[in-house]
Amino acid sequence: MKILVIGSGGREHALVWKLRQSPRVTDILCLPGNGGICQEAGCVAGDPRNLEGLLAAVHKIQPDITVVGPELPLSLGIVDEFARRGLRIFGPTQAAAQLESSKSFAKEFMQRHNIPTGHYTVCTSEEEIRKSLGLFSLPVVLKADGLAAGKGVVIAATKEEAAAVGAEMMSGKLLGTPVRRVVLEEFLHGDELSFHVLSDGERVAPLVASQDHKRIGEGDTGANTGGMGAYSIDSLADDAMVEWLLNHIARPVVQGMKSEGVEYRGILYCGLMLTTRGPMVLEFNCRFGDPETQAVLMRLDSDLLEAVEASIQGRVSEGLFKWSSDASCCVVVSSGGYPGSFVSGKEIRGLERAAHVENVKVFHAGTTSRDGGFYTSGGRVLGVTARAPRLQEAIEKAYQAVRCISFEEMYYRRDIGARALKRS
Ligand code: AMP
């Protein structure tokens, strides 16, 4: 079977790596891929944001199945376009992807279907934001409607700051483009949990739970990033918790969508806060998380292609995935300065030595390869991921491999998974 993966990050490298292990995959391509992916898949030039270009590439490549990594092509309707042409693709339609592409849609949908989430109001003007702020205690969360690559959420400490941020969201000063709606949301306290399920539009199968580290600095300080590391271990969500999350969140989403005439197929990512009032949804993503995917797929012992096909063909069952009881840990290595400005083009050394650390896989994100060498080409450069029977060993192995790697101004957090170790 010929598979095409769309995207260029660490998540896509993990997808390519896992899909390649399927005995039924004979050929795997990635558009556009990155330095590391191109060692394991045929890379095809192209822009995942350009649907016309993607369709032309697919016409040439003739894949049996296309797997979409990032949210943007999904929110632009790539699945709808493929379906219209009878092409097999893995992921939700544009209407279903609104759960990610519109924060206000997601909040209103959750309210309609009784899915636990924080209190909120949707504001359509600066004045409405200022007036509605009276309904919330501090800090308060502001969420810009629309895809914002992780930059659309601000936690404001004062009402003045919240009013100013809301105004900047609406004017376009904050994100480059104006937004018409801003969600004000109560600040929720607790530990965060990332919970993915696979859906075929009717039934869901859970993936193992994981935890991301969003902030740039150790001890969860500093600016928000795309994610600086993740780990996965069974104790993050026991069987009873998984059943609760399926019954109160994942199934109501898929059934709620269906009742509104929309089939939700593909991956549903639930970003949760474990509060004293129970788990609450912070956000939905309509695709695999990054870097959670790297940690989660490291624990998958069954065939990912089977799961992709089950979603497309409508035969997802709860026990579809076979998971290892091992723990996993992914440490993201980034360019110095990220998530602010950074310099690319630095030569990366020590990748081979890192790859030799037992049960470690180095996933590439922002890299290019030329003349046999690898160079940085993005903020998040690598996701060094390890698997071991105990979390502590997985963390140690990941850091052992990270220490083999070097490039100018390389940065990584040294405390990925540390809080989980302390808790246990
Ligand atoms: P989101 O894109 O909605 O997941 O928000 C990004 C990050 O902001 C989350 O991972 C949380 O760390 C934080 N966040 C979002 N909403 C809330 C909330 N209501 N209370 C506390 N933190 C939040």
Side-chain angles (χ1 to χ4, degrees):
M1 224 181 229
K2 192 192 248 187
I3 308 293
L4 172 67
V5 175
I6 292 176
S8 62
R11 163 185 55 208
E12 286 75 21
H13 194 178
L15 289 169
V16 163
W17 168 78
K18 197 68 209 174
L19 285 166
R20 260 186 101 208
Q21 294 172 10
S22 169
R24 290 192 301 126
V25 172
T26 50
D27 208 358
I28 187 152
L29 296 118
C30 189
L31 183 158
N34 61 36
I37 293 175
C38 297
Q39 313 301 307
E40 296 174 39
C43 281
V44 183
D47 181 352
R49 292 167 300 187
N50 174 358
L51 284 198
E52 287 300 314
L54 286 180
L55 285 163
V58 163
H59 189 68
K60 242 168 79 193
I61 297 166
Q62 298 276 318
D64 294 299
I65 297 180
T66 300
V67 176
V68 187
E71 60 276 23
L72 197 67
L74 295 167
S75 70
L76 292 173
I78 188 174
V79 171
D80 311 61
E81 290 296 329
F82 271 54
R84 232 168 264 145
R85 289 165 176 79
L87 300 166
R88 296 216 299 166
I89 187 161
F90 173 67
T93 58
Q94 185 173 38
Q98 283 181 93
L99 278 179
E100 173 165 8
S101 63
S102 168
K103 298 273 188 201
S104 59
F105 174 87
K107 293 297 283 190
E108 286 162 358
F109 175 86
M110 284 188 268
Q111 190 165 52
R112 281 199 296 281
H113 297 283
N114 243 332
I115 295 167
T117 190
H119 298 302
Y120 74 100
T121 58
V122 178
C123 302
T124 53
S125 70
E126 288 177 34
E127 200 196 338
E128 209 181 340
I129 293 176
R130 275 195 307 274
K131 278 192 187 150
S132 305
L133 278 169
L135 302 170
F136 293 87
S137 53
L138 292 167
V140 61
V141 185
L142 292 100
K143 298 186 175 182
D145 222 23
L147 292 181
K151 294 181 200 132
V153 176
V154 175
I155 296 165
T158 65
K159 300 233 157 137
E160 292 68 34
E161 184 192 351
V165 166
E168 287 182 4
M169 283 177 170
M170 295 218 140
S171 71
K173 199 170 160 206
L174 193 76
L175 299 166
T177 41
V179 294
R180 280 188 297 158
R181 287 193 266 193
V182 170
V183 175
L184 284 185
E185 191 175 301
E186 89 176 289
F187 181 85
L188 296 170
H189 296 268
D191 278 329
E192 286 186 48
L193 186 74
S194 302
F195 182 63
H196 293 86
V197 296
L198 176 79
S199 168
D200 63 3
E202 179 73 43
R203 288 162 298 262
V204 293
L207 281 71
V208 286
S210 56
Q211 200 166 47
D212 185 10
H213 296 61
K214 283 247 184 268
R215 306 289 201 93
I216 188 70
E218 281 155 26
D220 295 322
T221 53
N224 249 333
T225 69
M228 294 305 294
Y231 67 92
S232 174
I233 183 172
D234 279 341
S235 59
L236 270 174
D238 61 17
D239 289 350
M241 168 81 135
V242 169
E243 208 41 46
W244 194 94
L245 296 174
L246 291 174
N247 284 335
H248 293 83
I249 296 172
R251 290 189 184 114
V253 169
V254 172
Q255 291 308 324
M257 276 284 170
K258 196 176 166 204
S259 73
E260 296 185 14
V262 178
E263 212 167 50
Y264 194 102
R265 277 179 202 258
I267 288 289
L268 173 70
Y269 165 109
C270 310
L272 308 169
M273 188 72 90
L274 306 180
T275 74
T276 48
R277 279 143 62 197
M280 302 235 167
V281 177
L282 294 179
E283 66 164 340
F284 290 121
N285 291 336
C286 57
R287 36 78 195 175
F288 283 105
D290 187 342
E292 290 96 325
T293 302
Q294 292 86 312
V296 165
L297 292 186
M298 202 73 177
R299 297 185 57 200
L300 180 61
D301 280 343
S302 54
D303 188 333
L304 182 59
L305 177 64
E306 291 288 333
V308 164
E309 284 201 295
S311 165
I312 295 173
Q313 294 169 355
R315 48 180 182 76
V316 166
S317 60
E318 213 177 302
L320 179 69
F321 295 105
K322 297 283 171 279
W323 299 102
S324 158
S325 58
D326 281 1
S328 63
C329 173
C330 169
V331 177
V332 170
V333 175
S334 70
S335 298
Y338 173 78
S341 58
F342 56 84
V343 180
S344 287
K346 309 282 190 194
E347 186 173 5
I348 308 168
R349 297 201 169 83
L351 286 169
E352 261 191 40
R353 225 158 46 88
H356 280 113
V357 179
E358 198 194 356
N359 288 328
V360 163
K361 174 71 188 171
V362 179
F363 294 115
H364 288 231
T367 74
T368 53
S369 58
R370 60 174 187 274
D371 309 325
F374 291 93
Y375 298 84
T376 65
S377 66
R380 291 190 294 167
V381 176
L382 303 164
V384 181
T385 311
R387 166 178 163 171
R390 297 172 63 84
L391 180 61
Q392 178 146 14
E393 281 170 64
I395 293 171
E396 278 164 13
K397 280 223 152 60
Y399 280 108
Q400 185 189 338
V402 167
R403 283 192 298 272
C404 299
I405 298 168
S406 65
F407 57 85
E408 264 176 58
E409 293 175 42
M410 163 172 153
Y411 172 80
Y412 59 93
R413 273 181 63 165
R414 285 154 216 269
D415 64 344
I416 303 303
R419 271 178 60 211
L421 285 187
K422 235 189 226 162
R423 267 201 308 269
S424 67

